[in-house]
Amino acid sequence: MAIPIQTAALWADENRRHPWSGSILQLGRQSMFFDRLTFRAFCNHHIQSAPIAGNGDAVDDQEFFRQLGFQNVESMDVSSSEHPTHVADLNQPLPDAFAEKYDCVYDGGTLEHVFDIATSLRSMARSVRVGGRAVHMAVASNYIDHGFYQLSPTLLWDFYAANGFVIERAFLVELLVSGSMEFLHPWRVYQYTLGSCDHFNLGAWGFSPRPVALWFIARKTESRSEIINPHQSLYSRWAAAAKVGSRSPKPSSAKAWLKRRARWAYLPLVDFRRWWHTPRPPFVGTIDSDGRIHRRAGWDGINISANR
C-alpha cells in the first residue's frame, strides 16, 4: 500500500475543501512514493506551510498525515512486518473497541486483497465516528490479478448510502501508463455519479486499455447499530426505466441474422462505435507527476448526494 504524489494531491485537495483533523486509521500501513525534496515542494504548494522536520530523505506515513492535520495516526495490518499500530485480520470483524473511534479510516489499496471484503467494509464503516470520513483509493479496472477484486464505484456508493453515509467525493482516475512508470505521468480525473457508468456495464472502460482507479470519500452522518447489505442500485434504475418503457428494444431478427453472417465486418464497426459514441463521465482535470492539480469545470461543481 502506497501513496504516490498524485494521491497525496487528492488528500490535499480534500483538505482544501474540508480540513482534516483528529485521528486516522490506515488499513495497511502506507509507504510514501516520493522523497523529502518532493514533499517539501508539495507542502509549500498545497498546504502553504513548511513540512514537519524529519530525518533522512524518506517520508513516512506519520509525517504525511500529521502534515495534513491529523493529531493521531494509526495503522492496521494482518502482519507485523511493517510495524503497524494494530495487527488484525480484516476477514474477521474488528473488536467493539474500534467502534466509532476514528475521524478517518483509509483504505489505500488494501480491501481488494481481503477475501471477505464485505466484512472488511462493515468494519470500516463501524470504525468511523459520526461526522468522520471513510476514504478509498482502490483499483477499479485493468488490474488483472492485482488483488482478489477490482472495485466498481457502485459497490462503495450503494454500501455507504445504505448505511448512514453521504457521498462527498467520487472520482475515476485514469493512469496514463501502467506498471512501474505509472506514477511518473499525469493522471486524468473523471467525476463519477451514480449511474454515470451504466453504459459500461457490458464492456470495458470505454475504449481505454489503461488502468483506472477509484478515489472515494463518504462522510458518516448517523450511527447505526447494524450495518446492512445493499442492493445494487443499477437494477432499481432498470426497473424504473422499464415502467416508462425506456429500455432499449431488442434487435430485429433480420438485424441479428446480419450480425451473425457479417461478423468479420461488424465487429470492427462495434469497436469504432464504442470509441466514437460511448461517453465517459465528465472529465474534470489532471494531476501532474509533481502533484499539481489542473482543475476543470466540474471538479468542485457537481453536487454529490447519497440520496439520489
Side-chain angles (χ1 to χ4, degrees), residues 202-224:
L202 296 178
W205 166 247
F207 54 89
S208 175
R210 297 163 181 155
V212 179
L214 171 64
W215 173 252
F216 190 93
I217 300 174
R219 183 183 294 274
K220 192 170 189 175
T221 59
E222 59 182 276
S223 180
R224 296 283 184 92

Side-chain angles (χ1 to χ4, degrees), residues 120-139:
S120 57
L121 274 172
R122 292 189 195 101
S123 292
M124 191 167 174
R126 286 194 184 100
S127 298
V128 179
R129 61 170 52 109
V130 174
R133 284 168 277 185
V135 181
H136 296 262
M137 187 66 175
V139 298

Side-chain angles (χ1 to χ4, degrees), residues 66-277:
R66 288 183 185 278
Q67 191 71 46
L68 286 174
F70 292 104
Q71 289 79 45
N72 181 42
V73 181
E74 299 183 16
S75 55
M76 177 179 291
D77 207 325
V78 70
S79 168
S80 61
S81 61
E82 295 185 344
H83 308 290
T85 314
H86 309 281
V87 176
D89 184 355
L90 289 171
N91 286 296
Q92 307 298 324
L94 291 181
D96 290 342
F98 288 93
E100 300 194 354
K101 182 178 179 181
Y102 299 99
D103 295 283
C104 179
V105 179
Y106 179 47
D107 160 35
T110 294
L111 294 197
E112 66 258 29
H113 303 284
V114 179
F115 184 78
D116 194 343
I117 193 169
T119 293
S120 57
L121 274 172
R122 292 189 195 101
S123 292
M124 191 167 174
R126 286 194 184 100
S127 298
V128 179
R129 61 170 52 109
V130 174
R133 284 168 277 185
V135 181
H136 296 262
M137 187 66 175
V139 298
S141 180
N142 290 330
Y143 278 92
I144 300 300
D145 269 1
H146 172 83
F148 287 125
Y149 308 100
Q150 299 178 68
L151 306 190
S152 292
T154 192
L155 167 68
L156 302 181
W157 193 299
D158 293 342
F159 171 76
Y160 285 111
N163 286 290
F165 286 74
V166 170
I167 287 72
E168 293 197 336
R169 187 63 106 188
F171 282 158
L172 288 165
V173 182
E174 185 181 24
L175 282 61
L176 296 190
V177 292
S178 62
S180 60
M181 298 286 287
E182 65 188 14
F183 304 130
L184 301 181
H185 294 264
W187 293 359
R188 295 175 63 86
V189 182
Y190 300 83
Q191 174 71 69
Y192 175 86
T193 52
L194 200 62
S196 63
C197 289
D198 282 359
H199 50 286
F200 290 139
N201 65 53
L202 296 178
W205 166 247
F207 54 89
S208 175
R210 297 163 181 155
V212 179
L214 171 64
W215 173 252
F216 190 93
I217 300 174
R219 183 183 294 274
K220 192 170 189 175
T221 59
E222 59 182 276
S223 180
R224 296 283 184 92
S225 59
E226 180 182 2
I227 303 296
I228 65 173
N229 294 330
H231 296 288
Q232 188 177 351
S233 57
L234 170 68
Y235 294 98
S236 299
R237 295 193 295 278
W238 278 3
K243 288 182 179 179
V244 298
S246 60
R247 291 289 297 276
S248 300
K250 293 183 179 180
S252 65
S253 57
K255 187 175 182 180
W257 180 87
L258 183 62
K259 286 181 179 180
R260 288 195 300 271
R261 291 291 182 178
R263 281 179 292 182
W264 60 272
Y266 178 73
L267 291 180
L269 291 177
V270 170
D271 288 336
F272 178 79
R273 184 178 184 277
R274 172 175 289 176
W275 175 81
W276 187 258
H277 289 291

